[in-house]
């Protein structure tokens, strides 16, 4: 194609990976970047100049959205994506949204309806779905290699305590300090839902005891666990949080009617292990291998963010806008919302004694009205009278000194 898509990035910290991809993508051009932090804007501008491009930098979103753009990548705070996505689509721009899709059930409804009303492309940048092992599982499941899913597990264990100063800046009300653990579920659950293509219909939530080393940093939340029932009756377990394990664990398993797939867990393991039963019961063959990129491989190999996941989330978004076949791998708004609301509803299960909660099918307009004004969450700016505690184990108030200490570590460039 002769004309490249003009794309802007909102959020230059998390958005740095997407900025570098857009500076080199054959079908897209980075034209604008927005961030409130001046040094990040300067870093983006320098990267663009090095690539022979000129970009416009903005410190406010209101100015940024006025720029001439075909699409926007939302890489701002994780709990703020839906409102900005809605604004962008209503302004005539396609949207690639970073994790998470929405903070409340009301936002989920409004987001879906904005996509339907505007006709703009919405894509969810759940990069863990595109890591080599997870993306290979997705492709093999869709080919029918292991048959229909019966059970699956997704695990995202990442102890963030040491880097807490760098990712929360010592801000008391940073979303990482306020959001309940169950909400951040799409790294563990997402690859299972995209692979199977099935909709969740019920969820039960759990929360572990908050770890002491996170409490010392002003974060009071345990690890989130969701048990999800799919529309075909299969069951998935999703676990994610700050449990003690190094290196961090990004692990997935799918058991089907004809076999199973699981990703390598320990250092030195092959990335993917596949068992397929033969014609005789309980006898089959194993494949143990490291998948390789086969789609846009030359470009993908140059971008390693989140094991290549950042590249593919961005690339498939572009392909979707252009109407190209590979756009089929882009995660649409319905699947994105399915992933996100499982966590929102799982916390309600936790608060009500781990009872099963039905997951609505928000593809259906008749199921939306119940949630249209449902703003229950842990964010006081959004929840209003529906404010939830930050943990099922309590809602403590930390002294300012806790956050002052974290802020000082950040200013000194130190880990906790």
């Amino acid at each position: 194609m002769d004309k490249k898509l003009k794309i802007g990035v909102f959020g230059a910290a998390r958005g740095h990976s997407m900025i570098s991809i857009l500076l080199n993508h054959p079908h897209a051009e980075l034209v604008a970047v927005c961030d409130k932090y001046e040094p990040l804007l300067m870093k983006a501008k320098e990267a663009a100049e090095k690539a022979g491009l000129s970009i416009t930098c903005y410190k406010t979103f209101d100015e940024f959205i006025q720029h001439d753009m075909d699409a926007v990548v939302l890489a701002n705070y994780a709990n703020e994506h839906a409102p900005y996505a809605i604004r962008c689509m209503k302004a005539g721009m396609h949207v690639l949204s970073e994790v998470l899709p929405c903070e409340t059930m009301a936002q989920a409804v409004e987001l879906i309806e904005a996509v339907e009303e505007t006709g703009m492309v919405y894509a969810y940048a759940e990069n863990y779905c595109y890591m080599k092992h997870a993306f290979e599982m997705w492709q093999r499941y869709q080919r029918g290699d292991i048959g229909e899913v019966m059970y699956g597990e997704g695990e995202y264990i990442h102890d963030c305590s040491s880097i807490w100063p760098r990712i929360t800046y010592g801000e008391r009300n940073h979303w990482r300090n306020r959001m309940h653990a169950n909400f951040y579920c799409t790294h563990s659950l997402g690859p299972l839902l995209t692979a199977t293509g099935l909709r969740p219909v019920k969820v039960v939530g759990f929360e572990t005891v908050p770890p002491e080393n996170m409490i010392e940093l002003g974060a009071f939340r345990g690890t989130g666990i969701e048990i999800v029932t799919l529309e075909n009756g299969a069951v998935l377990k999703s676990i994610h949080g700050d449990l003690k394990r190094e290196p961090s664990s990004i692990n997935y398993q799918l058991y089907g009617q004809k076999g199973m797939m699981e990703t390598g867990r320990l250092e030195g393991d092959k990335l993917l292990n596949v068992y397929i039963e033969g014609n005789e019961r309980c006898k089959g063959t194993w494949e143990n291998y490291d998948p390789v990129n086969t789609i846009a491989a030359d470009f993908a190999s140059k971008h390693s963010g989140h094991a290549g996941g950042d590249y593919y989330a961005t690339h498939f978004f572009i392909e979707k806008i252009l109407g190209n076949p590979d756009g089929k791998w882009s995660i649409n708004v319905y699947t994105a919302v399915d992933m996100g609301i499982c966590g929102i509803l799982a916390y309600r299960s936790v608060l009500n004694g781990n009872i099963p909660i039905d997951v609505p099918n928000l593809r259906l307009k008749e199921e939306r009205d119940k949630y249209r004004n449902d703003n229950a969450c842990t964010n006081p700016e959004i929840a209003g009278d529906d404010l939830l505690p930050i943990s099922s184990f309590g809602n403590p108030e930390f002294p300012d000194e806790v956050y002052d200490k974290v802020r000082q570590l950040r200013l000194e460039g130190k880990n906790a």
Side-chain angles (χ1 to χ4, degrees):
M1 60 178 291
D2 296 328
K3 184 181 178 182
K4 292 186 176 184
L5 293 173
K6 294 176 287 187
I7 302 180
V9 174
F10 179 40
R14 174 65 193 99
H16 178 71
S17 287
M18 284 71 89
I19 287 170
S20 89
I21 292 164
L22 293 170
L23 287 174
N24 297 281
H25 198 280
H27 298 152
E29 178 184 0
L30 180 71
V31 295
V33 175
C34 179
D35 200 285
K36 63 183 180 181
Y37 189 51
E38 188 83 28
L40 287 175
L41 292 178
M42 293 303 99
K43 185 177 180 180
K45 201 171 190 69
E46 289 169 6
E49 290 172 354
K50 188 175 180 179
L53 297 174
S54 176
I55 62 171
T56 305
C57 292
Y58 298 95
K59 295 191 72 173
T60 69
F61 184 83
D62 287 343
E63 293 179 300
F64 170 72
I65 200 173
Q66 300 300 318
H67 198 95
D68 180 20
M69 299 178 286
D70 299 304
V72 171
V73 176
L74 296 177
N76 52 317
Y77 279 177
N79 63 321
E80 297 179 350
H81 295 319
Y84 287 101
I86 292 163
R87 285 186 63 182
C88 288
M89 288 186 289
K90 288 185 175 181
M93 301 170 195
H94 306 291
V95 169
L96 176 64
S97 172
E98 251 294 321
V99 175
L100 295 165
C102 53
E103 189 173 22
T104 68
M105 296 299 293
Q107 287 181 4
V109 171
E110 189 177 3
L111 179 64
I112 285 174
E113 292 185 341
V115 174
E116 293 174 345
E117 290 166 6
T118 64
M120 307 308 295
V121 169
Y122 172 95
Y124 186 47
E126 181 40 89
N127 40 50
Y128 284 63
C129 296
Y130 302 111
M131 290 181 174
K132 286 182 181 179
H133 53 7
F135 193 35
E136 181 81 353
M137 290 179 74
W138 183 354
Q139 294 174 81
R140 292 200 63 161
Y141 184 87
Q142 290 299 315
R143 291 201 302 262
D145 288 0
I146 65 167
E148 187 175 10
V149 65
M150 300 168 65
Y151 176 74
E153 295 187 8
E155 178 178 289
Y156 168 61
I157 302 301
H158 185 191
D159 181 3
C160 291
S161 58
S162 68
I163 61 172
W164 211 244
R166 178 156 54 88
I167 61 177
T168 66
Y169 323 122
E171 295 177 359
R172 174 186 292 275
N173 292 320
H174 192 279
W175 68 268
R176 293 181 187 272
N177 286 326
R178 290 219 58 90
M179 182 180 287
H180 184 265
N182 282 119
F183 280 53
Y184 202 78
C185 67
T186 71
H187 285 343
S188 52
L189 183 59
L192 304 177
L193 293 184
T194 50
T196 63
L198 296 172
R199 192 180 70 80
V201 297
K202 197 176 294 291
V203 63
V204 180
F206 300 87
E207 178 189 7
T208 68
V209 174
E212 293 179 0
N213 66 331
M214 295 302 294
I215 295 173
E216 293 169 356
L217 299 170
F220 193 80
R221 52 112 187 265
T223 289
I225 302 165
E226 300 83 35
I227 304 297
V228 178
T229 303
L230 301 181
E231 58 187 312
N232 74 334
V235 175
L236 306 178
K237 184 186 85 170
S238 161
I239 179 169
H240 46 96
D242 300 284
L243 297 176
K244 288 298 177 187
R245 190 186 193 286
E246 293 298 335
S248 57
S249 175
I250 305 165
N251 182 261
Y252 306 101
Q253 301 173 30
L254 281 175
Y255 288 83
Q257 297 279 0
K258 301 193 306 184
M260 65 88 64
M261 296 184 283
E262 63 181 21
T263 59
R265 180 178 294 275
L266 301 176
E267 189 173 350
D269 288 351
K270 293 297 184 182
L271 287 177
L272 189 62
N273 306 283
V274 182
Y275 171 79
I276 299 177
E277 189 174 66
N279 295 326
E280 189 175 351
R281 290 177 181 172
C282 301
K283 290 188 178 181
T285 58
W286 278 96
E287 299 175 64
N288 313 93
Y289 66 104
D290 294 326
V292 296
N293 294 324
T294 58
I295 301 174
D298 289 345
F299 295 108
S301 64
K302 299 174 184 176
H303 300 279
S304 59
H306 286 93
D310 289 344
Y311 178 80
Y312 279 121
T314 308
H315 175 69
F316 292 141
F317 169 58
I318 293 167
E319 293 292 280
K320 182 72 172 180
I321 295 171
L322 297 176
N324 293 333
D326 284 344
K328 69 179 182 179
W329 299 111
S330 186
I331 300 169
N332 66 31
V333 70
Y334 303 110
T335 302
V337 165
D338 280 346
M339 293 181 199
I341 65 176
C342 279
I344 293 172
L345 297 174
Y347 189 33
R348 301 183 187 190
S349 168
V350 173
L351 293 174
N352 287 280
N354 312 108
I355 63 172
I357 302 285
D358 289 335
V359 180
N361 183 0
L362 296 181
R363 296 162 182 78
L364 305 177
K365 293 181 180 179
E366 58 267 27
E367 293 202 26
R368 297 175 189 170
D369 285 345
K370 179 181 177 181
Y371 302 98
R372 194 172 297 280
N373 299 305
D374 185 339
N375 291 302
C377 65
T378 58
N379 182 353
E381 295 182 5
I382 300 297
D385 293 337
D386 296 323
L387 184 65
L388 302 177
I390 60 174
S391 168
S392 62
F393 290 91
N395 203 28
E397 279 293 323
F398 293 96
D400 290 340
E401 290 78 7
V402 171
Y403 301 103
D404 291 342
K405 180 180 178 180
V406 176
R407 187 179 304 110
Q408 187 59 38
L409 288 171
R410 186 240 178 178
L411 292 173
E412 295 173 1
K414 295 179 180 178
N415 286 341

